[in-house]
Amino acid sequence: MKPSFIHTTNRNPFIKNILWLLLVPASLLAQKPLFTTAKTQGATVYFSGAELQHSAQVNLPVGNSEIVIKNVADYINESTLQIKAPKSVTVMSVQFTKNYISEYEIDESNPAIKKVRDSIEIVKKEIKKVQIQIYTHQQTIGLLDNNQQVGGANSGLNTAELMKMVEYYKAKRIELDNQIEAFKEKETKWNKTLANLTARLQLNTAKEEKMSKGKLVLQVLNEVAGTVTLNFSYITNSAGWKPMYDLRANSIKDPIQLLYKAQVWQTTGIDWKKIKMSLSSGNPNQSNEAPLQQAWFLRYREFRDGDKNILYETTSNNFNYYRGNVFSKSKEDKSVDTTEVDYGYDSIDDYVEISESQLNVTFDIDIPYDVLSNGKMHSVSLKEIQIPATYKFYSAPRLEKEAYLLAKIDNYGQYNLLPGEANIVFEEMNVGKTFINPEQTGDTLSLSMGRDKKISIKREKVVDKSGTKFLSSYKEQTFTYDITIRNNKKEEITLTLKDQYPLSSDKDITIELLEDGKASVNPETGFMTWDLKLAPNESKKIRISYKVRYPKDKIIDNL
C-alpha cells in the first residue's frame, strides 16, 4: 500500500504534535510507541543533493502500532520518501519530524556514558557541599573579627576577661582557618575528579555514532507478530560532490596520467560510516518538463518620464585570447579534509564501475567510505586513466608574456570527464592548477599544463616606427611592435603564437594592417597566428604594424 503523508505548516512544535494526535485513532493513543534506529546502508550523491538508503528493524505485535524511526537526516524532501515493508505490514501513514514528543520515549543512551554522567552529577553535588562549608567558615571568621573589635572597645572588661577572649578568638580562628584549608584541598581533588570524568565523557561521546534529529513516525497495521525489516529512502539537499583531477606528465613525450577524484561533503546530521556510495552527475531537483515554444511577437519599447533604463548600449572592442584554462592564483581551500582511504592507485579501478546513460554519468564505488557530517570536503579516488596526448606551447604576448604548455587530447568523450579543477604535476614538480571543461564542441580537448619559464617572450613597441599624425579633420596613429621568442630548452619546441590588430565597428574609423610578420591572418577577428619551430637556444623576431585613422575630435579609450 502506498504510504500517505501528514503535513502541517504550523511552526509551533507543540501545536503541531497536538494536530497530529487529533488525526490518530483513539485506540492508538494508549499504545506505547515502538522505537528503532535507522542504519544508513548507502548513498547516491549528486552535485547538489543525495539519496540516502536506510534500513530499520522493529519487533511488531499483531494489529495497529506506532513506530518511531530515529537517525533520519535533519532535513529531507518528504515527497521523495519511499518505504518498503513486508506484505504482512500495511503502512497507513508516515510523518517526518524533528520535534517528536512522547511520554513513552525511552532513553537508549550507552550505559557506559550514562554511568559517567551519573558520576559527574554526584561529584558536582560534593563540590557544592564543600563550597558551602568554606563559605560558612569564612562567614564565622568574619563574625568573630567583628565581636573581637567590639570587646576591645568595651572599657568595662577587666584584664582577665579580656585575656580569655583573646585566647578563645585565637584558638577558634586557627581552627576555622585549618578547616577552610582542608575544605579547599578537598574541593581541588573533587575538581580534578570532575575534569577526568568530563574527559572520559567526551571520549566516549566521540566514539558514539552521531545521531541526527530527524525522525519518521509511522502508523502501521501488522498481520503476523515478529521482527520486520523496513527499508526506506529519501532525497536530502544537505550533501553533494564535485569532480577533481590530478594531471601528471614526466615529459612532453609521455602520455598524461589522469587521476579522477571526487570531493564529497554532507551535513545531513548523520555520520556515514562504512557505506557504499555512488556519485552521479545528475540533478534530482531540476525540472524535467520540456520547454514549449510560443509565437514570438515583436513590440516597441515604451519609455516613461524618469525611466532610468539605458536607451542604447555602446560596445567597445574587447579582444580576448585563448589563454588556456590556468588559474593565475588559486587559494587553498582550508575546509578540505585531505584524508582518504589509501587503497593504492594501481587497484582503485577494480573498485569503481562507471556507467553512462543518455543524461548522466554514475560512479559506483565498491569500497566502503566514511563521510562525517561536518561539511568538510572528503577526497575519494575514483579512477586512474592513461591518456595519449600531443604537446605544444602557446603564447599570447599582448595579454601575458609567457608560454603555456598545452596537451591536446583527441576523442576525449570516451573518458567520461566532467567539468572540474585539476592539480598539475609536470616533470615531478607542482606547477599549479587548471580547469578541465569537456563541455565544448571541438574535436580536441586542450589542457593547460602550466607556464614554461625556459621560453622567453618579449613584445616591445618600436618607437621610431610608431607615432601620430594629424590630417585635416582626422588623426592617424601607427603602432609597430617587435615580438621576440627564445627557446632556452635543450630540445626543439613547437609554439603557437597569437597576436591581433583592432577592428572597426564605425565607418569613421579605418584600420590598415601594414605588416603581419608572415602570420596567418583572420580579417574577421583580427587574429594573427604563427606556428613556429625553435631549435635549442634559437631566437626569432616577428614584427607587426597597423595604422588607425579616426576623427581628431574623438577619443578611442581602448586603443
Side-chain angles (χ1 to χ4, degrees), residues 359-542:
L359 302 176
N360 304 317
V361 177
T362 302
F363 300 86
D364 296 318
I365 308 172
D366 286 337
I367 301 174
Y369 272 91
D370 291 353
V371 181
L372 302 182
S373 179
N374 54 14
K376 290 186 177 181
M377 294 290 186
H378 296 258
S379 183
V380 178
S381 299
L382 297 178
K383 192 172 183 65
E384 188 177 25
I385 310 171
Q386 182 170 292
I387 302 178
T390 56
Y391 298 88
K392 68 188 310 183
F393 291 93
Y394 170 88
S395 180
R398 182 176 177 269
L399 297 176
E400 200 162 356
K401 298 176 181 63
E402 291 197 68
Y404 292 87
L405 177 62
L406 301 182
K408 303 285 187 177
I409 300 175
D410 297 324
N411 195 20
Y412 58 89
Q414 63 179 312
Y415 303 116
N416 297 307
L417 301 177
L418 297 170
E421 193 178 75
N423 300 310
I424 308 171
V425 179
F426 186 71
E427 294 179 342
E428 303 298 329
M429 292 182 62
N430 249 315
V431 296
K433 296 180 182 291
T434 187
F435 192 85
I436 296 179
N437 183 20
E439 296 178 350
Q440 53 181 294
T441 57
D443 296 331
T444 303
L445 177 65
S446 293
L447 300 180
S448 183
M449 302 294 290
R451 311 161 190 250
D452 197 317
K453 300 294 184 181
K454 294 183 179 180
I455 301 175
S456 301
I457 299 175
K458 294 181 180 180
R459 186 181 190 268
E460 299 174 315
K461 191 175 184 178
V462 183
V463 178
D464 58 346
K465 297 293 183 181
S466 304
T468 303
K469 294 180 181 180
F470 292 93
L471 305 171
S472 182
S473 60
Y474 283 90
K475 181 190 292 187
E476 189 176 271
Q477 287 186 272
T478 302
F479 300 88
T480 304
Y481 295 93
D482 280 344
I483 304 173
T484 306
I485 308 102
R486 177 176 175 80
N487 176 21
N488 298 312
K489 300 172 74 67
K490 296 181 180 179
E491 65 270 359
E492 183 182 71
I493 64 168
T494 300
L495 182 139
T496 297
L497 181 72
K498 281 202 172 185
D499 212 291
Q500 67 183 142
Y501 64 95
L503 302 177
S504 173
S505 59
D506 191 311
K507 64 180 181 179
D508 290 334
I509 302 176
T510 60
I511 299 166
E512 180 183 355
L513 180 61
L514 302 176
E515 193 171 353
D516 62 14
K518 298 181 180 180
S520 175
V521 180
N522 186 336
E524 295 182 357
T525 61
F527 289 164
M528 296 178 285
T529 306
W530 298 263
D531 290 321
L532 307 175
K533 286 189 176 181
L534 286 87
N537 299 316
E538 181 184 1
S539 298
K540 285 188 178 181
K541 181 179 289 188
I542 296 172

Side-chain angles (χ1 to χ4, degrees), residues 229-373:
T229 300
L230 301 174
N231 296 305
F232 60 97
S233 64
Y234 53 83
I235 290 177
T236 175
N237 293 331
S238 304
W241 76 286
K242 65 178 182 179
M244 280 285 295
Y245 304 91
D246 284 345
L247 299 178
R248 294 177 178 269
N250 294 325
S251 71
I252 59 175
K253 298 180 181 179
D254 295 331
I256 293 176
Q257 302 292 332
L258 183 144
L259 177 62
Y260 207 140
K261 301 192 298 183
Q263 288 189 332
V264 184
W265 64 271
Q266 63 103 352
T267 55
T268 61
I270 308 170
D271 285 341
W272 300 351
K273 295 291 187 72
K274 304 300 179 185
I275 68 165
K276 296 293 183 67
M277 282 195 305
S278 295
L279 306 180
S280 175
S281 63
N283 182 2
N285 297 314
Q286 70 181 1
S287 173
N288 292 312
E289 291 292 330
L292 297 177
Q293 286 186 316
Q294 297 179 350
W296 181 11
F297 296 98
L298 297 181
R299 62 180 180 272
Y300 287 111
R301 183 174 180 180
E302 298 180 0
F303 297 97
R304 298 178 297 273
D305 292 339
D307 195 342
K308 295 182 180 180
N309 291 324
I310 301 175
L311 299 181
Y312 60 91
E313 181 179 291
T314 58
T315 59
S316 60
N317 293 325
N318 294 318
F319 302 102
N320 295 318
Y321 282 95
Y322 170 73
R323 301 177 62 184
N325 291 318
V326 169
F327 287 38
S328 58
K329 289 184 179 180
S330 179
K331 295 181 179 179
E332 182 181 359
D333 185 358
K334 296 183 178 180
S335 66
V336 176
D337 184 355
T338 57
T339 58
E340 58 179 274
V341 183
D342 184 9
Y343 293 97
Y345 290 159
D346 294 338
S347 60
I348 191 65
D349 293 354
D350 298 332
Y351 296 97
V352 180
E353 181 179 349
I354 303 176
S355 57
E356 183 179 9
S357 65
Q358 293 291 334
L359 302 176
N360 304 317
V361 177
T362 302
F363 300 86
D364 296 318
I365 308 172
D366 286 337
I367 301 174
Y369 272 91
D370 291 353
V371 181
L372 302 182
S373 179

